[in-house]
Amino acid sequence: MAKILMKGNEAIALAAIKGGIDAFYGYPITPQNEIPEYLSKHMLDLGRVFLQSESEVSAINMVYGAAGAGKRVMTSSSSPGIALKQEGISYIAAAELPCVIVSVMRGGPGLGSIQPSQGDYYQATRGGGNGDYQLIVYAPESIQETIDIMKDSFNIADYYRNPVLVLVDGLIGQMMESVDFDKPVKERELPEKDWATNGTINHPGRRNVANSLHLDPYGLEQHNIHLQKKYNLIKENETAFELVNMKDAEYVIVAYGTMARICRSAIEMLNEKGIKVGMIRPITLWPFPEAAFDEISEKAKGILCCELSMGQMIDDVLIANNGRHKVGFFGRSGGVLPDPEEIVDAIVNFKDKVVK
Amino acid sequence: MRVKYEKSKGLTDTPLTYCPGCTHGIIHKLVAESLVELDILDKAIAIASVGCSVFSYQFFNCDAQQAPHGRACAEATGIKRVLPDNIVFTYQGDGDLASIGIAETIHAANRGENITVIFVNNAIYGMTGGQMAPTSLIGQKTTTSQDGRDQAHHGNPIKISEMFATIDGVAYLERVSVHDPKHYIKAKKAIKKAFRYQKEKRGFTMVELISTCPVNWGVKPVDAMKWVASDMIPVFPLGVFKDKGATNE
Ligand SMILES: Cc1ncc(C[n+]2csc(CCOP(=O)(O)OP(=O)(O)O)c2C)c(N)n1
Ligand code: SF4
Ligand SMILES: [Mg+2]
């Protein structure tokens, strides 16, 4: 297939189809509506399952059911809707079921706005659900990268038996880019889903149960230790990031998604001014690419964390930096996108204070 | 030697966790027997809800999922849509279904999801220690309505079968009780019919079972059975509320 021009949300939907999605359950919310709209038509044409649920709460529990039954299942939503899904996400992670969740962030808190934002970094990486669980969180910066991640996402979820969250902002959902759906996906040897609750007729002599209840404290602790081992394996294998112009960089920007794109322009402008600025662009937000911070030159004058929020990823930047360099913060929120000049200015007048 | 009574093959060997005199156990048996008699146990997926029956995923001798509080019908929908030839049923208490999970249940019914809901109404939150349920009776003393449920303050007991009878997607809906052998036999018939309808892909089926909670009602098991007849059934009258075309047994 040649390159085609496609809107972000529709590309997410088509990439999910290419990635082998069996079922989609979701509830409408701007700015992600084109995902269910596209799937409502194409999934049925393909003889697969699409169902508009009565709420996000219901959608995520439909996902829980179908994931437990061994199918490749996805839901998508935006900030307040993802908030409603958190209980179900915690259950799914606890029961170690694979699924894909797409979150197209909008401005918050509360009903907020429908403009692009990165205000849900905490929601994605810390979770609003209860307990010690992690999602594998991807934060692509372009539609092409979103497609590549979406196509791989069901494999990753199946491989680790863990929910994968693809976190984009409304801009990526709404813009159009020229994209290629034929890039090869990483080969993974996937374990058989011999745990699926699809009736003992399919696995005689063994009852399969999807469950997150462990009333015995020692039993639950063992389960948590088991989960933690898996999370450590994910950290080892799946942490992804891009380094831009890092050699001898005087300043290093840390940014993801749409903000990283804006920062790319700012970095060019700064280089023209003779200020060497590099960038660490986390592609996975969890696991956070801590190792990338070892690539920062000892002589660097500072790190600037740039976000479309009042400062959330900054926490992980401070942890990863571990006191080695001065750290500053630049953020716009509420759906406001900064001009690259604002970031240029923040570097030129670098302040090693994290004033949010 | 002739075996006169046997535990149903539809139940595992795990001992039930219910209190003495609690009719959750009887209802388990009726569900298990129905699955075996209709030869659908190996296709069945039980959804355990949150309540005293939370461990039912250990009791029904089939595949199972344990749902968050109130979400059983959503989870059942998610499964049934991808496995339409399996048998999917939820087992839910009145707090789970009629309070926190009423939206999921109404919409599953309205979509005519081809699932079966076993709705165990004991007019109380059993598991959490006897708080008021949406189904608690007027005047009923619970730990959160210590002077008795007051209509002006708490509203009236919610009548799920009456409400759901108005929903087109419902294929079969009956309210039954298990407080004596006569009613128990009727209850079994209702449960079996609901599962048979699901097997025949007729749509949403629900059986509401009036059940006891002697521990949290604060009465002896025998008196709990009597209270069902004297107090609960007048508020929750038994009968078929919906049956989209009876078929041959
Ligand atoms: C989200 C959530 N809220 C509250 C609870 C606590 N909780 C556990 S069981 C229960 C009530 C169950 O009552 P019912 O459904 O009537 O079942 P019964 O125990 O009476 O059979 C509640 C409120 C919970 N587990 N999850
Ligand atoms: S608390 Fe009530 S409902 Fe729960 S097992 Fe005991 S008697 Fe049954
Ligand atoms: Mg109850």
Side-chain angles (χ1 to χ4, degrees):
Chain A
M1 200 161 93
K3 282 203 159 189
I4 52 169
L5 192 66
M6 209 165 180
K7 192 173 189 173
N9 282 336
E10 292 189 344
I12 288 171
L14 179 55
I17 289 174
K18 302 251 178 200
I21 184 177
D22 293 311
F24 178 94
Y25 303 110
Y27 186 79
I29 183 169
T30 308
Q32 62 82 56
N33 286 323
E34 295 84 357
I35 300 174
E37 283 165 0
Y38 186 96
L39 289 172
S40 70
K41 167 101 183 81
H42 291 83
M43 290 291 275
L44 299 189
D45 287 352
L46 289 163
R48 303 188 201 176
V49 172
F50 171 91
L51 186 65
Q52 180 171 316
S53 62
E54 62 273 20
S55 70
E56 289 86 351
V57 175
S58 188
I60 194 67
N61 285 286
M62 290 176 181
V63 168
Y64 181 2
K71 298 296 179 178
R72 293 191 144 187
V73 57
M74 166 180 155
T75 187
S76 65
S77 190
S78 179
S79 311
I82 297 288
L84 276 179
K85 289 183 198 286
Q86 297 293 348
E87 178 200 39
I89 292 173
S90 167
Y91 274 68
I92 294 169
E96 290 195 89
L97 299 177
C99 70
V100 175
I101 303 152
V102 174
S103 168
V104 185
M105 288 181 281
R106 55 190 252 179
L111 198 50
S113 76
I114 56 169
Q115 304 304 322
S117 153
Q118 295 180 330
D120 300 339
Y121 183 94
Y122 285 153
Q123 189 190 52
T125 61
R126 271 59 172 172
N130 55 304
D132 286 310
Y133 73 93
Q134 295 292 348
L135 308 179
I136 308 170
V137 184
Y138 287 91
E141 67 161 352
S142 66
I143 300 179
Q144 183 63 57
E145 193 175 37
T146 309
I147 290 168
D148 299 342
I149 287 166
M150 281 303 302
K151 275 166 59 190
D152 197 19
S153 61
F154 290 100
N155 288 346
I156 297 167
D158 281 351
Y159 186 84
Y160 293 103
R161 289 185 60 178
N162 205 72
V164 167
L165 179 72
V166 179
L167 186 72
V168 297
D169 58 62
L171 193 75
I172 292 177
Q174 294 300 324
M175 71 185 178
M176 291 184 93
E177 276 181 334
S178 169
V179 289
D180 174 4
F181 279 87
D182 291 340
K183 289 200 179 172
V185 175
K186 181 177 169 184
E187 298 233 352
R188 293 172 197 268
E189 210 167 300
L190 298 178
E192 206 192 316
K193 294 187 174 180
D194 54 7
W195 42 263
T197 63
N198 51 7
T200 55
I201 193 168
N202 291 303
H203 41 86
R206 188 185 68 245
R207 291 174 58 240
N208 284 347
V209 175
N211 173 45
S212 65
L213 179 67
H214 304 263
L215 273 190
D216 166 35
Y218 297 100
L220 181 54
E221 186 176 49
Q222 282 311 311
H223 180 57
N224 275 319
I225 290 169
H226 160 75
L227 287 178
Q228 210 54 45
K229 278 190 186 148
K230 179 172 84 174
Y231 297 149
N232 287 336
L233 191 70
I234 295 168
K235 278 187 193 170
E236 254 172 58
N237 294 346
E238 306 301 336
T239 306
F241 58 90
E242 184 193 354
L243 298 177
V244 181
N245 291 345
M246 287 292 282
K247 201 165 171 293
D248 302 325
E250 295 168 59
Y251 292 96
V252 172
I253 286 173
V254 186
Y256 68 96
T258 290
M259 192 53 146
R261 290 170 75 118
I262 299 169
C263 289
R264 280 181 197 277
S265 309
I267 288 169
E268 271 178 36
M269 293 160 76
L270 285 157
N271 281 349
E272 277 165 27
K273 283 184 192 282
I275 306 173
K276 293 193 74 175
V277 179
M279 177 163 69
I280 295 172
R281 179 174 75 85
I283 298 172
T284 52
L285 299 184
W286 195 92
F288 189 74
E290 292 183 3
F293 287 72
D294 297 341
E295 305 301 318
I296 301 174
S297 154
E298 269 177 40
K299 284 176 265 165
K301 295 180 190 156
I303 298 171
L304 186 70
C305 177
C306 298
E307 299 180 58
L308 295 177
S309 80
M310 298 308 288
Q312 300 186 13
M313 181 173 69
I314 182 74
D315 293 2
D316 284 332
V317 170
L318 289 168
I319 293 168
N321 180 52
N322 199 13
R324 287 178 281 185
H325 302 278
K326 292 174 176 172
V327 177
F329 175 75
F330 173 85
R332 297 300 304 267
S333 82
V336 179
L337 294 177
D339 290 325
E341 286 80 1
E342 295 177 51
I343 293 152
V344 169
D345 193 52
I347 290 282
V348 171
N349 303 302
F350 181 80
K351 289 194 187 68
D352 64 329
K353 258 208 232 145
V354 182
V355 188
K356 292 190 182 176
Chain B
M1 200 172 69
R2 224 184 66 183
V3 177
K4 281 226 166 147
Y5 183 86
E6 227 179 354
K7 183 173 69 62
S8 169
K9 287 193 172 52
L11 292 172
T12 63
D13 291 334
T14 309
L16 300 184
T17 41
Y18 303 110
C19 304
C22 174
T23 45
H24 262 304
I26 296 178
I27 298 166
H28 275 42
K29 182 180 145 152
L30 300 183
V31 170
E33 284 177 355
S34 300
L35 295 172
V36 171
E37 287 163 23
L38 291 166
D39 196 21
I40 52 177
L41 184 66
D42 60 356
K43 286 185 178 174
I45 300 147
I47 312 294
S49 62
V50 174
C52 282
S53 59
V54 68
F55 284 118
S56 60
Y57 66 85
Q58 293 181 354
F59 304 146
F60 292 117
N61 197 9
C62 58
D63 278 359
Q65 295 196 10
Q66 198 291 311
H69 197 20
R71 318 300 175 215
C73 278
E75 208 165 309
T77 298
I79 300 173
K80 189 72 183 194
R81 291 285 175 137
V82 294
L83 299 175
D85 296 326
N86 281 68
I87 297 294
V88 182
F89 70 97
T90 70
Y91 188 106
Q92 302 175 255
D94 45 318
D96 193 86
L97 183 145
S99 191
I100 194 168
I102 196 159
E104 285 78 1
T105 316
I106 286 178
H107 286 280
N110 193 50
R111 289 188 301 263
E113 295 295 343
N114 190 32
I115 60 173
T116 299
V117 173
I118 304 298
F119 169 38
V120 181
N121 176 2
N122 58 10
I124 201 136
Y125 283 29
M127 181 173 224
T128 38
Q131 295 82 7
M132 193 188 72
T135 43
S136 295
L137 306 189
I138 297 299
Q140 188 181 335
K141 289 189 170 134
T142 72
T143 58
T144 51
S145 61
Q146 298 193 10
D147 296 329
R149 180 175 185 155
D150 171 12
Q151 188 260 327
H153 183 67
H154 304 106
N156 282 307
I158 197 163
K159 298 182 177 186
I160 289 295
S161 287
E162 284 80 351
M163 268 175 72
F164 276 62
T166 66
I167 299 175
D168 285 341
V170 177
Y172 171 64
L173 168 55
E174 183 167 353
R175 186 188 283 130
V176 295
S177 176
V178 292
H179 68 282
D180 64 24
K182 193 182 102 209
H183 286 91
Y184 167 99
I185 290 164
K186 266 196 140 175
K188 166 76 180 287
K189 275 195 182 147
I191 291 173
K192 201 166 163 184
K193 187 172 188 176
F195 279 114
R196 186 159 53 78
Y197 274 30
Q198 183 182 161
K199 202 177 161 187
E200 293 164 0
K201 301 199 160 127
R202 286 159 167 267
F204 185 89
T205 51
M206 176 156 77
V207 180
E208 175 176 349
L209 296 113
I210 306 297
S211 190
T212 59
C213 180
V215 169
N216 288 305
W217 292 353
V219 297
K220 292 192 189 107
V222 176
D223 294 331
M225 295 297 198
K226 286 185 189 149
W227 196 71
V228 166
S230 63
D231 289 70
M232 279 190 78
I233 291 176
V235 178
F236 300 112
L238 308 182
V240 177
F241 287 81
K242 189 90 177 264
D243 188 351
K244 276 194 180 169
T247 53
N248 302 327
E249 278 301 306

